[in-house]
Amino acid sequence: MHYAILFPIVFLILVSCSRKEVSMQQPEAPQPDAPFYADNDIAMTVCSIVDALRVGETLDSVDYNFRGVLTDGQGTPLYTDVEGAPGEWRVAVVDGSEAHISNCRVGDLMAVDLRHYIVGALGLNSADLVTAYENPDLEGQMIWLYDAGDVKVSFAEMEAESPSGAEGSLLTIALSK
């Protein structure tokens, strides 16, 4: 009779120990890196500022200043910085009628493609390009100036080097009345 009581207890101990052992032997599967996604489309940002300027709104830094990742409209960052992180941008109101949008670090930014994307989003084309020239005040910086009606849109691009020696483009988009 004594064996009848011991058998279920020993069986429960063995089963519970074997389950712990199995869970210890099976390491958690590594989770794949989730792709980066952000909702801050640069074309929407540019169009918003241009629309505000067109209707005579005074730009307020509280409403427009931003530092973070801007995307291509599908949630993909516009560039990757030299450390492999999604590239950061700064949107800054200069005064009530001007704002600048600039990438903060060197990376794999395709400035020409980005310029075409924004020009298209604004409904502009090559006929709206007023001029393209090398900035006489900053050697190596190219500027493209577009006329968007009563708003000027310029793109200033310059090749730059990171502290680690990586090369890339720095781009500033200026929007002004």
Side-chain angles (χ1 to χ4, degrees):
M1 192 84 176
H2 194 9
Y3 292 109
I5 295 175
L6 282 177
F7 179 75
I9 294 174
V10 170
F11 180 74
L12 283 173
I13 291 172
L14 288 174
V15 169
S16 66
C17 288
S18 68
R19 283 189 183 153
K20 285 181 186 175
E21 191 174 292
V22 168
S23 66
M24 290 176 60
Q25 290 177 355
Q26 295 177 348
E28 285 187 29
Q31 298 297 323
D33 290 338
F36 184 88
Y37 179 85
D39 260 342
N40 301 312
D41 175 30
I42 193 165
M44 288 177 54
T45 302
V46 169
C47 289
S48 175
I49 294 170
V50 167
D51 289 344
L53 290 170
R54 282 186 176 147
V55 299
E57 180 182 320
T58 300
L59 299 179
D60 184 351
S61 61
V62 172
D63 295 328
Y64 290 101
N65 282 8
F66 169 80
R67 185 173 176 121
V69 177
L70 292 175
T71 66
D72 63 0
Q74 297 181 8
T76 304
L78 294 171
Y79 75 103
T80 302
D81 68 21
V82 294
E83 294 177 358
E88 270 196 337
W89 291 81
R90 182 180 60 245
V91 179
V93 171
V94 176
D95 62 36
S97 62
E98 184 174 356
H100 293 175
I101 302 171
S102 305
N103 60 323
C104 298
R105 300 182 74 193
V106 171
D108 61 0
L109 176 66
M110 304 300 286
V112 173
D113 294 340
L114 180 56
R115 181 167 33 96
H116 291 294
Y117 172 59
I118 292 169
V119 165
L122 289 168
L124 304 174
N125 58 44
S126 59
D128 299 304
L129 178 62
V130 175
T131 187
Y133 60 94
E134 185 172 349
N135 185 347
D137 299 325
L138 190 55
E139 185 180 337
Q141 184 182 55
M142 287 297 300
I143 298 176
W144 291 266
L145 176 62
Y146 288 83
D147 182 3
D150 52 352
V151 176
K152 293 180 183 103
V153 179
S154 71
F155 298 84
E157 179 186 353
M158 184 168 182
E159 293 302 311
E161 191 174 293
S162 74
S164 66
E167 295 180 0
S169 295
L170 293 177
L171 179 68
T172 297
I173 305 162
L175 311 161
S176 62
K177 191 76 171 154

